[in-house]
Amino acid sequence: MTSLIELTAVSKTFGSGADAVHAFGPVDLAIEDGEFISFLGPSGCGKSTLMLMIAGLLEVSEGDIRLAGQTVAGPRTDIGIMFQDNTLVPWRTVQGNIELQLEMRGMPVSKHGARIDMLLDSVHLKDFAERHPYELSGGMQQRAAFCQAMVHDPKTMLLDEPLGKLDAMTRESIRKDLQALWMQQRPTVVFVTHSIEEAVQLSSRVAVITPRPGRIEEVIPIDLPFPRDLDVKNSSEFARYVRDIQEIFRGYGVI
Amino acid sequence: MAMASSDRPGLFERTGAWVQRSWMFIAFFVGFFLFWEWSVELFDIPRYILTPPSLIVAKGWADIDRLIYYTYVTGLETVIGYVVALLVGLPLGLAISFSSILRRTIYPFFVCIEMVPKIAFAPLFISWLGFGLLPKVIIVFLVCFFPVVLNAILAFNSLSEELTRFCRSTGAGAWTTFFKIRLPAAMPQCFVGFKYAAINATVGAAIAEFIGSDEGLGFYIQIVTGNMRPDLAFAGIFFLTLLGLALFGCVTLAERLLIPWHISVRRSRP
Ligand SMILES: Nc1ncnc2c1ncn2[C@@H]1O[C@H](COP(=O)(O)OP(=O)(O)OP(=O)(O)O)[C@@H](O)[C@H]1O
Ligand SMILES: [Mg+2]
């Protein structure tokens, strides 16, 4: 059986001639259906670039990306994508912003009322449904953006640092919810982060990306039981995964 | 918005708060006019050069019929020119921002014309078209048109990369994208142009009237100044200012109604 997402010799160069920036690759990677894979790497290594290429929003310079058996040759609408900067529009409320995703797709808003409520509830934003984004903190905006990205119930999710602006406590609680959601419904999740601990906690596999030009140094299967609650996080196996990955980045002089 | 109307302070409290915040400005304003009033006496300035504000009010009131009629005349020129500039400028700006051909032809042409002081065309238009309404409307139009077009082009071309990607990722069609994202996102920058044009509209009308007309506030100011009546000239200037403020006020009101969510509108709320 072929993998859900297959990258073959993918690389990305921005610009051309003397100004060309070789941002990423070449990279080979296969992502299986239903797995939770993290792209872990330092700032500027090309995580967002890679995610956008998988979504078909950025062209590959070389190589080939296949999603569900088809070569990605344009924007893919059969996935859910949460961008690094949130895509909430200031003229709509939180609820309206979530509905925007449905309206843009021509999906009936009225049929999704319950799902929107459920999503808002899961990120603890129910009381803020009628607020505008500028009335929310950065972390609350990010949680609203998560609902916006997921409301159409995609089976493949690309999340670009979705927990980046959250405080440590909220982050922990959202990780837990995200993990529960993943265990329950088994979507394929591509998760961009630069937190080693977060990657190890959430992922079935971690793709460790080197500094620019980004390459996948190693894909590490995380063989720990789910759910990865505090007990698992405090275990010595967990600490060993974190330490191994730290060693890789130390080798590159990143930390 | 979410605020219940009962939490909102009443008119009395709001006025009180405004006075508290702005008393220095009010004091300066009042002081300025008092100084003006007295300095005419104090420095023995001849009345045909400068008149005290009290006399401007008295003499202006005596001539109020003419002033009101001329305000109407100038107002009509201003409003027609302004509205036409909006009706033509906005769609044209939109077309230019979406068409690469127009962007390479008309756009650079407009940028060049923008450098030309449009008022310099006024004598030509008067000589071509006479003293009537049309040449003034055209000059107001020219003054307002360019800020509207250029800001509209800027507005429709500056959708953030992230939102552009969001639109593409949903697979939405061009119309849906336009009405749900591009148009509302462009409104704030469009209003920058609308406001700038509103400020300049009365200037265009007045200058056009200076050059050739037989009615209107610009005509009035020029005639009474020639007759050594600065009091009436100031009365005319006052009405011209009112006209400009009224137009600007309407645009600001429209902005508040259409884009209450925008930061420039939110900041200006108490
Ligand atoms: N449009 C662009 N034009 C030129 N270079 C670009 C462009 N977008 C990204 N780059 C370059 O590509 C590299 C990777 O960028 P990318 O945004 O993918 O990094 P990232 O891993 O997501 O970093 P961060 O964690 O800071 O978000 C960077 O070095 C950046 O300079
Ligand atoms: Mg990034």
Side-chain angles (χ1 to χ4, degrees):
Chain A
M1 202 191 115
T2 55
S3 310
L4 181 72
I5 304 171
E6 271 178 305
L7 291 86
T8 318
V10 171
S11 71
K12 180 70 189 173
T13 307
F14 289 104
S16 57
D19 293 332
V21 178
H22 179 204
F24 192 78
V27 152
D28 293 292
L29 181 68
I31 299 171
E32 305 303 326
D33 196 1
E35 83 168 316
F36 193 120
I37 187 165
S38 287
F39 292 165
L40 174 66
S43 181
C45 72
K47 305 182 293 294
S48 300
T49 304
L50 178 56
M51 203 195 77
L52 291 171
M53 288 191 296
I54 294 174
L57 295 168
L58 206 59
E59 263 181 73
V60 297
S61 302
E62 267 157 61
D64 176 59
I65 298 178
R66 294 170 79 80
L67 203 162
Q70 275 178 308
T71 296
V72 175
R76 292 293 292 238
T77 57
D78 52 345
I79 57 177
I81 177 162
M82 182 175 167
F83 297 91
Q84 187 161 8
D85 294 326
N86 77 58
T87 51
L88 304 173
V89 296
W91 56 88
R92 285 184 175 228
T93 60
V94 168
Q95 172 101 19
N97 265 289
I98 300 172
E99 290 170 359
L100 183 62
Q101 174 83 257
L102 299 170
E103 292 172 27
M104 295 289 283
R105 290 169 177 272
M107 294 164 80
V109 170
S110 52
K111 281 193 193 156
H112 289 75
R115 174 156 176 85
I116 294 173
D117 285 347
M118 186 274 287
L119 278 168
L120 281 173
D121 210 22
S122 72
V123 298
H124 316 292
L125 275 183
K126 207 156 203 171
D127 296 340
F128 292 85
E130 294 310 319
R131 298 285 176 155
H132 283 80
Y134 52 79
E135 298 176 277
L136 271 53
S137 72
M140 289 158 90
Q141 290 178 12
Q142 224 167 5
R143 285 184 268 154
F146 177 80
C147 300
Q148 186 194 51
M150 295 306 137
V151 66
H152 57 295
D153 202 8
K155 292 288 160 279
T156 305
M157 304 180 179
L158 310 180
L159 309 174
D160 197 346
E161 297 186 35
L163 312 183
K165 286 185 194 137
L166 299 182
D167 62 286
M169 277 178 285
T170 315
R171 185 190 292 227
E172 195 62 50
S173 123
I174 304 253
R175 279 179 194 165
K176 209 176 82 201
D177 294 340
L178 189 59
Q179 189 152 78
L181 176 108
W182 177 74
M183 287 170 61
Q184 199 184 14
Q185 305 184 359
R186 283 296 177 136
T188 310
V189 181
V190 175
F191 187 89
V192 171
T193 180
H194 37 221
S195 160
I196 297 175
E197 190 211 17
E198 185 164 280
V200 174
Q201 183 184 355
L202 292 175
S203 318
S204 47
R205 286 195 302 159
V206 177
V208 179
I209 303 181
T210 64
R212 200 166 65 84
R215 285 206 180 78
I216 294 179
E217 166 81 22
E218 205 179 331
V219 182
I220 305 173
I222 308 294
D223 197 8
L224 293 171
F226 287 100
R228 306 216 173 118
D229 51 20
L230 279 178
D231 288 339
V232 177
K233 283 184 77 176
N234 290 332
S235 67
S236 59
E237 291 92 336
F238 189 94
R240 193 162 55 239
Y241 280 117
V242 172
R243 208 167 43 238
D244 287 351
I245 296 172
Q246 276 172 349
E247 283 307 320
I248 297 176
F249 286 126
R250 184 143 58 176
Y252 279 98
V254 179
I255 46 176
Chain B
M1 229 152 294
M3 206 193 284
S5 59
S6 58
D7 314 347
R8 206 175 268 165
L11 184 66
F12 184 72
E13 282 104 29
R14 269 187 288 163
T15 315
W18 181 76
V19 170
Q20 219 161 39
R21 263 184 294 125
S22 326
W23 68 269
M24 283 216 273
F25 168 72
I26 299 167
F28 180 80
F29 206 69
V30 172
F32 173 78
F33 280 99
L34 286 178
F35 176 73
W36 180 354
E37 184 80 32
W38 288 326
S39 61
V40 175
E41 290 290 330
L42 200 65
F43 303 118
D44 217 10
I45 301 171
R47 287 291 150 85
Y48 59 85
I49 303 270
L50 189 67
T51 39
S54 59
L55 208 63
I56 294 171
V57 174
K59 298 290 179 180
W61 185 250
D63 206 15
I64 192 72
D65 287 346
R66 215 152 44 120
L67 280 166
I68 286 181
Y69 174 64
Y70 284 166
T71 305
Y72 161 75
V73 170
T74 308
L76 196 66
E77 297 161 3
T78 310
V79 169
I80 296 177
Y82 182 77
V83 170
V84 174
L86 248 62
L87 291 181
V88 177
L90 198 58
L92 197 60
L94 186 62
I96 291 173
S97 63
F98 281 101
S99 152
S100 60
I101 294 177
L102 294 183
R103 210 164 39 238
R104 272 178 234 152
T105 51
I106 299 187
Y107 179 53
F109 177 68
F110 280 174
V111 172
C112 295
I113 299 276
E114 170 64 4
M115 300 297 141
V116 181
K118 264 72 64 185
I119 292 297
F121 289 110
L124 277 176
F125 279 111
I126 307 274
S127 84
W128 290 335
L129 300 167
F131 273 25
L133 180 69
L134 187 62
K136 280 100 189 176
V137 167
I138 291 179
I139 289 157
V140 173
F141 170 84
L142 280 182
V143 168
C144 299
F145 175 72
F146 290 95
V148 170
V149 173
L150 295 178
N151 278 289
I153 296 171
L154 181 62
F156 286 107
N157 272 333
S158 45
L159 190 66
S160 76
E161 191 151 37
E162 221 77 340
L163 270 181
T164 312
R165 284 179 178 146
F166 169 74
C167 294
R168 293 174 63 209
S169 76
T170 62
W175 287 110
T176 312
T177 303
F178 179 76
F179 284 109
K180 293 205 187 284
I181 309 271
R182 285 188 183 275
L183 183 62
M187 288 318 279
Q189 186 66 43
C190 286
F191 266 102
V192 171
F194 297 169
K195 284 184 175 172
Y196 186 81
I199 291 169
N200 285 306
T202 46
V203 179
I207 293 181
E209 287 176 355
F210 288 164
I211 292 165
S213 64
D214 43 21
E215 51 183 4
L217 287 173
F219 164 77
Y220 182 84
I221 292 166
Q222 202 177 33
I223 295 297
V224 297
T225 308
N227 293 343
M228 306 273 184
R229 292 293 302 275
D231 49 343
L232 292 181
F234 273 111
I237 292 169
F238 176 74
F239 276 87
L240 199 56
T241 309
L242 278 191
L243 194 60
L245 281 178
L247 183 61
F248 190 74
C250 288
V251 179
T252 309
L253 188 70
E255 186 183 34
R256 284 191 177 211
L257 292 176
L258 284 173
I259 51 170
W261 46 270
H262 189 247
I263 185 118
S264 72
V265 177
R266 280 186 278 132
R267 277 226 187 94
S268 63
R269 265 202 298 258

